[in-house]
Amino acid sequence: MSDTNLRHVLGVKDLASNEIETIFYRAREFKEKGFSSSVFYQQDPAKAPIVALAFFEPSTRTKLSFDTAAQRLGCKTIGFDNPASTSSAKGEQLEDTIKVIEQYADALVIRRKEHDTPEVIKRVASKPVISAGVGSQEHPTQALLDVFTIKERRDLETIDHVVSYGDLANSRTMFSQVRLLAREGITFSFVAPKQMQINDEFVDEIKAEGAQVNLFDRIDDVIEDVDVLHIIRPQKERWDSDPTEMYSAINIDTFSRMKDDAIVLHALPRTGELSPDTDDDPRSIIFDQVANGVFVRAALLEWILTA
Ligand code: NCD
């Protein structure tokens, strides 16, 4: 039976702004001082919490950073990243998989394609669950680490124009990031070929937060006015036909037209849409995002495990 007091984090709206501030404060402490203040270091190691990592979709950064974060905190981890080797390949339903895993673990991290995943989790889970990405819908922890990384460079109040570029229709990272940044007075420009553009429902959702929304199909239309540029790869796994080369790559020439204090984000993996010749430009913070993933996820794990 699901417990409504559990700290599930299945979408960015599951966290209140003061909770996000608490998590960011703790993530900064871990980054600056290390993990020795983790509450689990004070405990008997035999009682170390176990975090289960259940990845039904491919992952490099998200899975390994959750694993690293849990272990740095003094937790232990179990899990899988190849569902073909689990009972889901035999037809086991998520409901049963959750009920089984929570007999072993104190918290679950789940990545899965099916969009009913948050609903199933809320209905059956009796241990806290963090979403590591649901299909093309939400990726809350990526958005948290994105915003944490932006804040290391710039006060959020100075960010007036956020540009999302690429396969937007299928980008869970973009949906979560924009939801987290949306506020009165901010402008979002969504730049994508028509087939990859966001739908009216999302436009309305973001406008309801008081944000301005513009749609473009060419990055050249906005590049000179960008504060934050978020680049998204073609989400091949969500297309029946090959979606590659539907939009032009961002490279050092594109960077030469951006403002000096612009910030460029990419959740990775990149597949040609962001040239490595931009990596040494200080405006690119893509590897800061990778590093911060561990601190933010550690803070979040500690927070859900100590509720
Ligand atoms: C993202 C994802 O899985 O949605 N990757 C990640 O978590 N670092 C972005 C992507 O795959 O394009």
Side-chain angles (χ1 to χ4, degrees):
M1 191 59 188
S2 186
D3 171 354
T4 46
N5 293 321
L6 286 174
R7 283 180 171 170
H8 294 318
V9 180
L10 307 178
V12 288
K13 298 287 179 195
D14 288 339
L15 294 167
S17 358
N18 65 321
E19 293 172 333
I20 294 174
E21 278 319 305
T22 302
I23 289 157
F24 283 179
Y25 183 86
R26 193 67 174 134
R28 260 190 307 275
E29 279 188 338
F30 288 143
K31 185 166 185 174
E32 285 163 15
K33 302 183 195 153
F35 292 89
S36 55
S37 69
S38 163
V39 298
F40 307 117
Y41 280 163
Q42 269 84 93
Q43 294 180 354
D44 174 355
K47 293 191 185 137
I50 293 181
V51 177
L53 307 170
F55 279 69
F56 295 89
E57 282 196 299
S59 176
T60 301
R61 277 147 292 271
T62 308
K63 176 167 182 290
L64 294 182
S65 63
F66 264 115
D67 204 340
T68 305
Q71 298 199 45
R72 294 264 190 231
L73 283 174
C75 301
K76 295 173 181 166
T77 60
I78 57 171
F80 59 83
D81 52 17
N82 177 13
S85 70
T86 73
S87 286
S88 74
K90 302 180 195 167
E92 183 169 74
Q93 298 302 294
L94 182 63
E95 281 86 341
D96 283 356
T97 310
I98 290 174
K99 286 186 200 162
V100 169
I101 296 176
E102 61 190 15
Q103 303 302 316
Y104 311 139
D106 302 287
L108 285 74
V109 177
I110 299 181
R111 168 171 286 191
R112 195 164 170 268
K113 167 167 104 232
E114 287 75 12
H115 286 180
D116 68 347
T117 303
E119 180 271 309
V120 175
I121 291 168
K122 280 185 214 152
R123 184 157 43 80
V124 304
S126 62
K127 299 278 171 68
V129 180
I130 300 177
S131 166
V134 176
S136 55
Q137 249 177 6
E138 275 254 20
H139 192 346
T141 63
Q142 181 68 42
L144 287 170
L145 74 89
D146 288 354
V147 174
F148 180 86
T149 310
I150 294 171
K151 276 163 67 90
E152 285 187 323
R153 286 294 179 97
R154 287 178 64 161
D155 187 337
L156 284 191
E157 296 304 312
T158 71
I159 305 286
D160 294 324
H161 189 193
V162 176
V163 175
S164 305
Y165 177 57
D167 187 357
L168 307 182
N170 294 301
S171 175
R172 57 190 176 199
T173 59
M174 182 280 293
F175 288 122
S176 291
Q177 188 202 91
V178 167
R179 286 186 176 119
L180 204 52
L181 287 172
R183 62 170 158 79
E184 202 149 340
I186 196 167
T187 298
F188 292 101
S189 293
F190 296 97
V191 185
K194 291 220 165 13
Q195 308 90 303
M196 293 178 163
Q197 192 49 276
I198 56 169
N199 61 23
D200 293 345
E201 200 186 331
F202 190 59
V203 172
D204 293 344
E205 179 186 334
I206 299 311
K207 280 190 175 165
E209 301 285 332
Q212 303 286 317
V213 175
N214 304 315
L215 307 187
F216 297 97
D217 50 19
R218 282 163 15 104
I219 193 68
D220 293 347
D221 295 330
V222 291
I223 196 69
E224 282 155 25
D225 186 53
V226 166
D227 290 322
V228 171
L229 173 61
H230 180 206
I231 303 163
I232 294 111
R233 75 175 166 90
Q235 308 281 305
K236 289 193 188 94
E237 65 277 35
R238 321 238 183 256
W239 286 86
D240 294 329
S241 54
D242 183 3
T244 51
E245 294 178 21
M246 281 177 60
Y247 46 98
S248 59
I250 302 291
N251 57 28
I252 204 68
D253 293 330
T254 334
F255 268 54
S256 70
R257 288 182 278 143
M258 289 189 315
K259 293 189 281 191
D260 289 344
D261 60 353
I263 295 173
V264 176
L265 302 172
H266 193 307
L268 301 175
R270 59 180 155 183
T271 56
E273 63 290 338
L274 174 63
S275 168
D277 68 5
T278 61
D279 289 357
D280 293 335
D281 189 299
R283 290 170 289 184
S284 169
I285 56 170
I286 65 173
F287 290 104
D288 295 343
Q289 290 173 270
V290 174
N292 287 335
V294 172
F295 304 115
V296 171
R297 288 178 173 127
L300 195 58
L301 280 172
E302 189 189 55
W303 184 74
I304 64 157
L305 282 163
T306 52

